[in-house]
Amino acid sequence: MTKVIGVIGAGSCDRYIEEVSFKVGSEIAKNKAILVCGGLGGVMEAASKGAKSAGGITVGILPGFTPSEVNPYIDIPIVTGLSHGRNLIIVRTAQVLISIGGSYGTLSEIAFALKLNKPVIGLNTWDISTEIISARDPIDAVKRAMGLINEDR
């Protein structure tokens, strides 16, 4: 079974969150999982860049009506025209999600994931629930994500 890890986070971020996101993406690829994200900038672009740097496959679930908005590190852009509604598609597609930083869009993805019983691993993200699994660093986050993926997800 193909392993799919979602990376969620804001469309813009500071240098630290960018570095964390890049490392998470790289670790996802090194673990032979596919990275799915919102396909735009910030955390999504940094994680996708990290995955591509390690030979990984990336999927971007885009909010708009054209693939031209995709970041340059996405292999498979999926155009939805759903705006923030695309967040549910990201969550449904991923077997486990890693939340890095984030704003209200990220919060909605966390809420969808928890509602759908999808594991959420957090790095410098919303502290809203004991159901979010804390990670020490990018390597720990992906290690935990890989451990949570099973045939039923």
Side-chain angles (χ1 to χ4, degrees):
M1 178 178 173
T2 302
K3 293 171 174 51
V4 180
I5 298 175
V7 175
I8 55 177
S12 62
C13 61
D14 63 25
R15 183 81 176 130
Y16 174 74
I17 295 295
E18 183 179 314
E19 290 170 3
V20 168
S21 301
F22 180 92
K23 184 67 174 169
V24 165
S26 174
E27 288 297 316
I28 289 170
K30 288 176 186 175
N31 280 274
K32 308 290 188 236
I34 294 173
L35 183 149
V36 64
C37 68
L40 301 179
V43 166
M44 299 167 277
E45 183 169 352
S48 299
K49 184 177 181 181
K52 293 310 301 170
S53 76
I57 298 171
T58 58
V59 177
I61 310 294
L62 301 170
F65 293 93
T66 174
S68 65
E69 65 188 345
V70 73
N71 77 58
Y73 307 103
I74 295 295
D75 295 311
I76 304 167
I78 298 175
V79 178
T80 69
L82 294 173
S83 187
H84 297 291
R86 67 74 146 93
N87 293 352
L88 183 56
I89 296 171
I90 295 166
V91 171
R92 285 273 190 199
T93 301
Q95 294 162 297
V96 61
L97 295 110
I98 299 175
S99 179
I100 307 167
S103 193
Y104 294 124
T106 308
L107 181 60
S108 75
E109 290 164 316
I110 291 169
F112 284 137
L114 296 177
K115 179 72 175 169
L116 297 171
N117 296 312
K118 300 267 182 143
V120 178
I121 297 163
L123 286 167
N124 302 95
T125 195
W126 292 89
D127 184 18
I128 59 165
S129 170
T130 57
E131 295 178 51
I132 295 177
I133 302 162
S134 294
R136 293 182 307 276
D137 55 45
I139 293 171
D140 183 45
V142 175
K143 181 179 177 183
R144 289 172 185 263
M146 293 301 293
L148 290 166
I149 293 174
N150 62 44
E151 299 298 321
D152 295 333
R153 293 193 195 276

